[in-house]
Amino acid sequence: TRFTLSTMTFSFTEPRIDDSAYKAEAENFSLEEKKTIEGDIFGGQNDLEINKDELNELLGNLRNELENSPSDGKIAFETAKERCPDIAYATEVLEAFLRAEHCDVKAAARRAENYWEAKFEAFGENAFGSVTLDILNENEIEALKRGVVRFLNVRDKSGRGIIVTNRKDWFLGTRENRNSMKRIFFFIFELASKDKHVQEHGVIFLWHFSSSLDMEDWDRKVSSGFVKKCLELAPIRTCAFHTLNPGFLVIMEGSALKSIFGLKLRHRWIVHSQDLSKEDLVRELGMYGIPSTAVPKYLGGKLDWNNPAWIMDMLERE
C-alpha cells in the first residue's frame, strides 16, 4: 500500500526493521561479532594487517575465483576481463575488494562482479576505463565543487578515511539525476579505494541532513540506490555510517532504512540527534574517534576544506 505526497512516496508494505527485531538481532550476535561491530564503530580494533605472503596467496585465490566463476548473466565483468584486464585484475583493485570483505575470497569475488555491473549501469562504455573526472559531465563536476560528496584529506584517530555528504545537495526527482548521483559516488569511492589508509582501516560516512530538508526533497530511490549500489558493492570497507541532523523524515522512515541498509550496516548506523548544537555534535563525534580537526567547519569542526580548489587541482593533474 502506497500513497504519494508531492514527489515523496511512502510505503506501508515495504520491509521494515522495528526496534524489537533490531534488538533481537543484536542479542543473537556472537561475542566475536559484537567485538567486530564495536571495533568498526569506534575504530582501532579491526585493522586488516596482512603480510606480503598472505596477501599474494589471497590475491592468487581471488584471481582464480574470478576467472573460473560462472558469469550468471553478469556480462560487465566478463567484458572487463577482455577489454581492460589491467584494471579488472589490477593488484590494488583486487586488494581493495579483499579488504572490503575481510579477506573472504568468495565474497570479494561476488562484490567485484556486482560492482562492475553497477559501474556499467552508471557509466556505460566508460566503465571499462579508469573513473576520473574527465568522464563526469559538467553538472557532476560542479556538484563536486559545491561539496555534494567529499573525501576528506584527513583521517580519524584510527586512520579511517572520512566521506562527507550533504543530503540537501543531492540531485532529485529524475532517473538522469539519480544516475548522476551514482556516478559521483562511484568517483569518490574509487578515489578512496586507492588510499592505503582506507584499505587498511576502512572508511566512515558522515551523512548530513539539512534542517530544511522537506517532503519534496525526499527521494527513497536515491537513498536506497545509494546504499544498495554503492555501500554494498564499493571496493572499500564501510566501518560506520553517521547520520547528522536527521530531521523527522529520517526518524519516521528509520525502520525502512534499517531494512535497506542490511544486517551488517544497520548495526553500524549511528543517528545523532537533530537537537544537538554544533559543539555537542562535534563532542559526540569525538566519542567515535572522529576528532574536531576531521570535522568540516560548517558542521562545527575545525577542518577548513576548499572543495573547488581540490577539484581544480585534480582537473589540472588529469
Side-chain angles (χ1 to χ4, degrees):
T1 302
R2 294 176 179 269
F3 72 89
T4 301
L5 182 58
S6 186
T7 59
M8 179 180 180
T9 301
F10 293 89
S11 171
F12 292 113
T13 56
E14 192 164 8
R16 293 174 179 269
I17 301 294
D18 60 23
D19 289 342
S20 60
Y22 180 81
K23 290 177 181 177
E25 286 178 344
E27 291 172 356
N28 286 328
F29 285 135
S30 67
L31 182 60
E32 182 178 352
E33 287 172 324
K34 290 178 180 178
K35 287 182 177 180
T36 298
I37 293 171
E38 181 179 344
D40 279 347
I41 290 174
F42 294 99
Q45 301 177 46
N46 297 329
D47 296 345
L48 295 175
E49 297 180 2
I50 314 170
N51 66 46
K52 187 175 181 180
D53 290 339
E54 290 174 330
L55 179 60
N56 286 336
E57 181 178 357
L58 286 167
L59 288 170
N61 292 340
L62 178 54
R63 288 189 176 95
N64 288 335
E65 178 68 24
L66 288 168
E67 188 64 34
N68 298 315
S69 64
S71 64
D72 293 330
K74 296 173 181 175
I75 61 171
F77 185 71
E78 293 299 312
T79 304
K81 289 194 294 186
E82 295 176 3
R83 292 175 54 179
C84 54
D86 55 325
I87 297 176
Y89 287 120
T91 296
E92 62 272 18
V93 173
L94 297 185
E95 182 178 350
F97 283 115
L98 275 170
R99 290 179 179 276
E101 291 291 352
H102 289 268
C103 297
D104 182 324
V105 170
K106 289 187 179 296
R110 303 294 84 76
R111 180 182 281 248
E113 291 167 344
N114 291 331
Y115 187 69
W116 276 96
E117 290 299 310
K119 187 178 176 183
F120 179 67
E121 180 182 308
F123 291 100
E125 291 298 312
N126 284 330
F128 305 113
S130 298
V131 177
T132 56
L133 283 171
D134 60 2
I135 66 171
L136 299 181
N137 64 42
E138 184 176 339
N139 290 335
E140 292 159 359
I141 292 175
E142 286 301 315
L144 283 169
K145 288 180 181 179
R146 292 197 309 272
V148 61
V149 189
R150 314 176 188 201
F151 176 50
L152 301 185
N153 61 342
V154 295
R155 306 293 173 260
D156 77 347
K157 292 181 179 179
S158 300
R160 296 177 295 182
I162 303 172
I163 294 175
V164 181
T165 180
N166 188 341
R167 180 60 180 81
K168 181 67 176 177
D169 291 335
W170 286 18
F171 299 150
L172 304 168
T174 68
R175 180 177 181 180
E176 180 180 355
N177 285 345
R178 289 194 293 271
N179 197 53
S180 277
M181 284 307 307
K182 289 179 188 176
R183 288 158 59 91
I184 290 170
F185 275 111
F186 269 105
F187 169 75
I188 292 292
F189 290 159
E190 294 226 350
L191 182 67
S193 72
K194 296 177 174 65
D195 187 291
K196 280 294 182 181
H197 286 282
V198 170
Q199 286 194 13
E200 294 176 7
H201 309 295
V203 69
I204 52 178
F205 284 83
L206 303 183
W207 194 15
H208 178 239
F209 280 76
S210 168
S211 58
S212 60
L213 187 73
D214 54 28
M215 291 182 178
E216 284 71 23
D217 296 318
W218 184 259
D219 187 337
R220 182 186 285 125
K221 289 183 179 179
V222 175
S223 298
S224 61
F226 163 67
V227 175
K228 289 295 184 184
K229 292 294 178 68
C230 296
L231 292 183
E232 294 181 355
L233 306 180
I236 54 177
R237 179 167 60 94
T238 301
C239 296
F241 196 86
H242 295 260
T243 298
L244 317 178
N245 192 32
F248 86 97
L249 286 174
V250 177
I251 295 171
M252 183 173 62
E253 289 285 278
S255 59
L257 286 171
K258 285 179 182 176
S259 177
I260 290 170
F261 283 169
L263 180 62
K264 286 183 179 180
L265 190 57
R266 64 172 164 261
H267 288 276
R268 292 164 171 81
W269 180 29
I270 303 98
V271 179
H272 300 269
S273 172
Q274 62 180 332
D275 297 324
L276 291 176
S277 66
K278 286 186 175 181
E279 293 77 11
D280 288 339
L281 173 61
V282 171
R283 189 178 301 113
E284 197 166 279
L285 290 172
M287 296 168 58
Y288 295 92
I290 308 169
S292 60
T293 52
V295 179
K297 282 186 174 180
Y298 77 92
L299 293 175
K302 298 178 180 178
L303 180 63
D304 189 8
W305 179 242
N306 189 327
N307 227 60
W310 169 67
I311 297 298
M312 294 307 297
D313 180 62
M314 289 196 69
L315 285 169
E316 289 178 5
R317 282 188 278 121
E318 289 184 7

